Amino acid sequence: MDKGKISALQFALLMYLYIIGTAALVQPHTLVSIAGQDAWFSVIIVGIIQLGLITLYMKLGFRYPKQTIIEYGRILTGKWFGSAIAVVYMFYFLILTAYVARNIGNFIGSVVLPQTPLVVNMVVILIPVLYGCYLGIEVIGRTGEILYPWAMGVFVITALLLIPKMHPGELFPMFPEGVMPAIKAGYPLLGFPSLEISICLLLIPFVQNQQKIKKYFYVTSVGTLISGALLSVITIMVLGVDMTARSPYAVYDVAREIRIERVLERAEVIVGIIWLITSFMKLLICFYGTVITTVQCFDVINYKSLVIPFFFLLLPLSLWVLRNTAELEWSGIVYPMMAVFPGFVIPAALLIVGNFRSRNKQGSEAQTQPQSQLQPQSQPQSQSQSQSLPQSQMQSQSQPYPQPE
């Protein structure tokens, strides 16, 4: 098991990069194709639900701060049910890692390096992921701390450079068909990436100052909500609804609109690299969560021994999980159904079982109090009776018997 530790700030930065991740590339296209110009409202709805999920995870994580969900799942539900929960999370994070790796490979193959084979692109991105997982959680935390300012800086500069290209009229009319399209668009966004935040239940035990996690985590969630809404709004105002709905990587196409005379052009490459960094961090965290879950599922002593075998398992699995870009639309419908069990059902059930068992334990302790605590009153009563005796009687009792002559 990994003995490394990270700070609460590093944990929050990792979760921000994890939530943004590949969702920033796919999110505008998916939302706009369903909700149109009201895609920003879908982000707000899902963001509120995401705050509720974080509250659930925090209650469960703080109840067992030194254990992961695999460890206290076995304690609460027993050996067999706990092992079943561990297997569910192991396969879930494995499929999620393959899904994220395939999204990154598709992005590189279709936008950055279209002439390069897909397998080569995925091997190139998986090798540093392999190395980062081998080094442990401390290196992962420091990497996120270094890459976060660069990602946010490029995002802010890009948004400022796109102001002349923005057309606020593309956002109107608001809700032409009511609120239901925006609610429907929140369904795929809820599965990818909101329910995926359950990976924090594996990372909380590695945080040093856990009393600060809650504050930082809520700030992170609000930050991802604002970032997602701004991405949708900027993309719609620059490209329009029709172009955004047709573009699978709308954020990259938005950056192509940055042109400052002949001084600054082709800025989309820089933006693509930044989004590749955030996607890399999500892939790294998913891969690390898969390895840690497997270690605790099968009681493996050294987690580093599983890094290379998982690399050879992940590569063909990522090629199988999405065979082409057309299946990406279909996976947006099926994937949330799969993510709801490890993301909500299992944590909620464990929290209910934990509360129920703690109440039963308190009730049994109250009923089995030792009788010595219930009968200490006899001794004080005898003392009070002795104090209430007349003084003459006490003196007569204290006088010795007369000695025979």
Side-chain angles (χ1 to χ4, degrees):
M1 191 64 181
D2 194 357
K3 302 298 182 182
K5 294 291 183 179
I6 59 176
S7 64
L9 179 60
Q10 290 174 340
F11 170 80
L13 296 180
L14 285 178
M15 293 311 299
Y16 181 89
L17 296 173
Y18 176 83
I19 296 172
I20 293 295
T22 54
L25 295 173
V26 184
Q27 180 191 80
H29 162 72
T30 305
L31 295 180
V32 173
S33 61
I34 301 175
Q37 61 268 29
D38 302 323
W40 58 271
F41 189 68
S42 302
V43 178
I44 295 176
I45 294 175
V46 176
I48 296 173
I49 299 175
Q50 183 174 293
L51 290 174
L53 290 173
I54 290 177
T55 303
L56 170 64
Y57 300 151
M58 288 296 97
K59 288 183 178 180
L60 191 59
F62 287 161
R63 183 180 289 270
Y64 310 97
K66 302 299 181 182
Q67 297 172 325
T68 65
I69 190 171
I70 308 300
E71 294 173 330
Y72 56 73
R74 287 179 174 174
I75 296 174
L76 294 176
T77 61
K79 179 180 178 181
W80 296 106
F81 283 104
S83 300
I85 291 173
V87 170
V88 168
Y89 276 99
M90 182 184 66
F91 279 104
Y92 170 67
F93 288 124
L94 179 62
I95 294 174
L96 176 60
T97 307
Y99 187 78
V100 174
R102 183 55 188 269
N103 280 333
I104 298 175
N106 287 340
F107 173 71
I108 297 175
S110 60
V111 174
V112 183
L113 301 173
Q115 301 299 325
T116 307
L118 179 62
V119 177
V120 177
N121 292 332
M122 299 185 66
V123 169
V124 170
I125 196 66
L126 283 174
I127 288 177
V129 169
L130 201 75
Y131 185 61
C133 182
Y134 184 84
L135 294 177
I137 189 64
E138 285 189 5
V139 175
I140 297 174
R142 293 171 185 173
T143 304
E145 196 173 13
I146 293 172
L147 295 180
Y148 173 80
W150 291 94
M152 289 302 299
V154 172
F155 175 75
V156 173
I157 293 173
T158 304
L160 294 176
L161 293 175
L162 284 171
I163 290 178
K165 302 288 184 177
M166 295 181 186
H167 305 284
E170 297 289 343
L171 298 173
F172 299 96
M174 292 185 180
F175 309 109
E177 299 179 4
V179 187
M180 285 307 299
I183 296 176
K184 292 179 181 179
Y187 171 75
L189 186 61
L190 183 64
F192 183 77
S194 294
L195 289 172
E196 298 170 358
I197 307 176
S198 59
I199 200 171
C200 71
L201 298 174
L202 297 175
L203 302 180
I204 289 177
F206 297 102
V207 182
Q208 290 178 339
N209 44 352
Q210 295 187 353
Q211 64 275 8
K212 298 181 180 180
I213 291 180
K214 191 173 183 179
K215 178 181 67 175
Y216 286 147
F217 208 172
Y218 279 119
V219 173
T220 298
S221 182
V222 174
T224 56
L225 188 155
I226 296 173
S227 300
L230 286 177
L231 277 174
S232 300
V233 170
I234 292 173
T235 306
I236 294 172
M237 287 194 298
V238 174
L239 297 181
V241 175
D242 295 335
M243 183 65 70
T244 304
R246 291 195 301 265
S247 176
Y249 305 110
V251 175
Y252 186 81
D253 292 334
V254 164
R256 290 180 176 177
E257 301 295 327
I258 299 177
R259 293 187 183 90
I260 302 178
E261 297 299 333
R262 295 184 179 272
V263 178
L264 181 61
E265 292 184 355
R266 305 291 296 176
E268 67 272 10
V269 177
I270 300 175
V271 176
I273 292 174
I274 296 301
W275 294 129
L276 190 60
I277 288 174
T278 59
S279 302
F280 163 78
M281 288 304 303
K282 179 167 186 174
L283 181 60
L284 177 58
I285 296 171
C286 288
F287 190 84
Y288 182 79
T290 304
V291 173
I292 293 300
T293 306
T294 308
V295 165
Q296 295 182 347
C297 180
F298 296 103
D299 296 328
V300 180
I301 298 176
N302 187 9
Y303 81 98
K304 296 181 179 180
S305 60
L306 296 178
V307 174
I308 295 178
F310 265 110
F311 169 77
F312 290 103
L313 176 62
L314 184 63
L315 186 60
L317 183 61
S318 59
L319 297 174
W320 170 80
V321 70
L322 286 177
R323 298 182 181 180
N324 49 56
T325 54
E327 290 187 359
L328 184 63
E329 303 293 335
W330 177 79
S331 64
I333 301 175
V334 178
Y335 180 78
M337 300 179 186
M338 180 187 72
V340 71
F341 286 95
F344 174 72
V345 175
I346 295 178
L350 290 179
L351 184 61
I352 293 172
V353 172
N355 291 334
F356 182 75
R357 292 190 63 176
S358 63
R359 290 178 183 177
N360 287 343
K361 185 177 180 180
Q362 293 176 358
S364 61
E365 289 178 353
Q367 292 178 0
T368 58
Q369 286 182 354
Q371 294 183 357
S372 59
Q373 296 180 2
L374 299 177
Q375 299 176 353
Q377 299 178 357
S378 58
Q379 189 173 4
Q381 287 179 359
S382 60
Q383 292 179 0
S384 62
Q385 289 178 359
S386 63
Q387 291 178 1
S388 63
L389 291 174
Q391 187 174 4
S392 60
Q393 188 175 357
M394 293 178 63
Q395 291 177 357
S396 63
Q397 292 179 358
S398 63
Q399 292 178 357
Y401 293 101
Q403 300 291 333
E405 296 179 356

